[in-house]
Amino acid sequence: MSSPQTLADPLEDPLLAASSAKGRRAEITETEPRNFLVLALYQIVMRTGWVFKTESIVMPAVLDMIGGSAWLRGCLPLLNRIGHSIPPMLFARRLKIMPYKRVALVLCTLAMSAVFLSMACMFSIIGNQTFSWLPAAFVGMYATFFVFTGVNSLVVSTLHGKLIAPTHRGRLLLVGGLIGASTAVTCAWFLLNAWLEPGGGRFDLIFGFAGVCFGISAIVALLVKEQPDDYRQPANSPAAHFREALQVLRDDANFRRLTLVAALFGTSMMLFPHYQALGRIRLQLSLENLALWVVVQNTGTALFSLIGGPLADWRGNRTVLKFALFGCCLMPLLALSLANFGSEAANVYFLVFLLVGLTPVTVRTINNYTLEVCGPAHHPRYLSTVGLCMAVPLFFSPLAGWLVDLISFEAVFIFVGAMVFAGWLLAFRLEEPRHQVVAPLPGSDDPV
């Protein structure tokens, strides 16, 4: 087994940083073909399972069916983003000093699988009965799942930064997104259509399938090949992790702008549970439409990955981010327009979810941009910081759900559209990392 290679913090010792960068480029050259395939397969299987728990469609619809209120529905994106922000922030140092990042990937994915298999068992026992405690139990398991999912997202992005060259990460987004969305669409169309009914559904089978896919993804993660790291960082209190994030924001003006863009984009996620509710309430669409919406959303992800992946490798992630944010501005406006057309728009309401498919592409693009604006030693801290900033607006998600009931869908949707539009404008002020001169990979014309 190879001995751990001490890798320097690029901001602390430039000479050691140059040496370690050469070692990293050699490692990428040697192992990237294998790891590219493994990480793509991991993403494909994960996405196939993920479609059966889509938080913009399936999860809020299940919560509605078991008696959840609008404000509780509004908690779902909040719990999602808390899981994607605070646990990664607290885990960033531990991930940095772990010799093998794939260990964390396997354990997090197994934990995600365990939560969904537990949910499947719960619904298998109770069937379609409703109980007063059920919404709270469902939301609690959902929150637990996203604690592990948030750490998992941090680990995946860190491994991409360690093992995949910057000009190949868009290609990975393309392959994983396109094939993953295709398999997800196929499974959703045949299985969700069979398992969903107008008055309920076989939620045990739906969640069980997701849990099995996550378990298979954990097995795939064992195939990642990486050299051990030997980063050093003293242990800190939980508060120190947040102080480090503030220091990063204070010292890096371009990253500050990126986190503000991420926060403004994050407001769009507040609406995820309400798109399906808007269609069902205003257009009288039934639960049977969920399968079509899931298929359309994942088709959108595939199409946008097909465009965004190559464009990111060619022109940079900043260019893709600007296009993606503009599309996200249109989501709430399109939903409102169709909902106010009346029954004539019922047959085309699925177009809203085509644009919702932009969201995972946008999140991945923000993460890939982050990987390019800092050295590998800083990847966990920068990624967790941008994730935390993206989550901040989601703390107002229950309030947004309450306002939907109190005022209207229109007020909340228009406000969110304006926030994302402001983020799109700010994205034009981000720097392009590709303009920096960086040493190429050995035997490659591509910069690292």
Side-chain angles (χ1 to χ4, degrees):
M1 178 181 296
S2 302
S3 60
Q5 178 186 7
T6 300
L7 299 176
D9 184 330
L11 299 182
E12 295 172 358
D13 191 332
L15 294 178
L16 284 177
S19 174
S20 64
K22 182 178 180 180
R24 285 192 301 272
R25 289 196 297 271
E27 178 185 356
I28 289 175
T29 300
E30 178 185 354
T31 64
E32 188 184 53
R34 171 198 176 111
N35 287 326
F36 186 97
L37 292 175
V38 171
L39 291 171
L41 180 59
Y42 177 89
Q43 186 176 336
I44 290 165
V45 180
M46 177 67 71
R47 182 139 199 91
T48 303
W50 196 272
V51 74
F52 288 82
K53 58 141 300 298
T54 310
E55 54 265 30
S56 58
I57 301 172
V58 175
M59 302 306 275
V62 172
L63 184 58
D64 288 346
M65 293 301 300
I66 62 177
S69 59
W71 75 265
L72 194 58
R73 188 198 315 139
C75 288
L76 296 183
L78 169 61
L79 296 174
N80 179 329
R81 282 298 114 186
I82 287 178
H84 275 92
S85 55
I86 295 177
M89 180 69 63
L90 299 177
F91 190 72
R93 172 196 167 269
R94 182 168 295 276
L95 178 62
K96 175 180 176 177
I97 65 177
M98 288 183 70
Y100 295 98
K101 273 60 175 176
R102 69 171 180 267
V103 174
L105 183 62
V106 172
L107 293 178
C108 286
T109 312
L110 283 174
M112 293 163 62
S113 174
V115 172
F116 261 80
L117 291 176
S118 298
M119 292 176 68
C121 290
M122 180 178 73
F123 278 100
S124 177
I125 293 170
I126 67 173
N128 286 330
Q129 301 179 75
T130 58
F131 300 92
S132 59
W133 53 265
L134 188 54
F138 179 78
V139 169
M141 298 178 84
Y142 184 88
T144 302
F145 173 78
F146 273 104
V147 168
F148 296 113
T149 301
V151 176
N152 174 271
S153 179
L154 174 66
V155 178
V156 168
S157 293
T158 301
L159 277 171
H160 287 184
K162 178 181 179 180
L163 302 174
I164 306 297
T167 51
H168 297 162
R169 291 171 195 154
R171 199 174 305 169
L172 181 58
L173 171 66
L174 166 63
V175 173
L178 183 61
I179 301 177
S182 300
T183 57
V185 162
T186 302
C187 291
W189 183 252
F190 289 104
L191 298 181
L192 274 183
N193 268 326
W195 293 340
L196 286 173
E197 303 161 357
R202 292 296 307 273
F203 300 134
D204 54 336
L205 297 178
I206 292 171
F207 295 148
F209 185 86
V212 169
C213 287
F214 297 154
I216 296 173
S217 295
I219 297 172
V220 172
L222 290 169
L223 302 176
V224 169
K225 184 178 182 180
E226 60 175 323
Q227 296 297 317
D229 295 332
D230 191 23
Y231 290 122
R232 306 295 186 184
Q233 183 176 334
N236 286 323
S237 65
H241 295 292
F242 294 93
R243 286 197 297 270
E244 290 176 5
L246 289 174
Q247 182 179 352
V248 167
L249 293 173
R250 185 176 63 247
D251 296 342
D252 191 332
N254 183 60
F255 185 64
R256 253 195 329 269
R257 285 191 289 271
L258 175 65
T259 56
L260 183 54
V261 170
L264 292 168
F265 160 69
T267 60
S268 68
M269 301 182 193
M270 290 194 299
L271 302 183
F272 279 3
H274 306 297
Y275 286 123
Q276 57 86 31
L278 178 63
R280 290 190 299 107
I281 293 171
R282 293 283 182 86
L283 301 177
Q284 302 298 308
L285 296 169
S286 71
L287 199 63
E288 291 179 306
N289 288 279
L290 294 189
L292 173 62
W293 294 344
V294 166
V295 166
V296 170
Q297 180 174 325
N298 282 270
T299 300
T301 299
L303 292 175
F304 296 129
S305 298
L306 183 62
I307 299 169
L311 185 60
D313 287 346
W314 175 43
R315 298 287 297 176
N317 288 293
R318 185 186 66 165
T319 299
V320 178
L321 183 57
K322 289 187 290 188
F323 281 112
L325 287 171
F326 185 74
C328 291
C329 298
L330 302 179
M331 274 190 268
L333 303 180
L334 177 62
L336 288 177
S337 298
L338 292 176
N340 287 311
F341 256 106
S343 58
E344 297 85 0
N347 292 330
V348 293
Y349 189 72
F350 67 85
L351 292 175
V352 173
F353 296 97
L354 188 70
L355 283 180
V356 174
L358 260 175
T359 303
V361 177
T362 309
V363 172
R364 175 57 63 194
T365 302
I366 290 173
N367 286 342
N368 283 345
Y369 181 91
T370 302
L371 293 174
E372 291 194 55
V373 298
C374 63
H378 296 287
H379 283 168
R381 177 61 60 213
Y382 270 65
L383 287 166
S384 60
T385 301
V386 79
L388 178 63
C389 293
M390 200 184 302
V392 169
L394 276 300
F395 284 89
F396 299 96
S397 189
L399 175 63
W402 179 69
L403 289 174
V404 163
D405 275 349
L406 182 67
I407 305 175
S408 66
F409 284 100
E410 280 75 9
V412 177
F413 277 45
I414 291 172
F415 174 79
V416 168
M419 292 297 99
V420 182
F421 182 76
W424 173 69
L425 292 176
L426 185 60
F428 284 86
R429 296 191 58 203
L430 293 175
E431 297 173 3
E432 176 48 67
R434 302 290 173 85
H435 293 163
Q436 301 174 9
V437 178
V438 186
L441 282 168
S444 170
D445 293 330
D446 293 332
V448 175

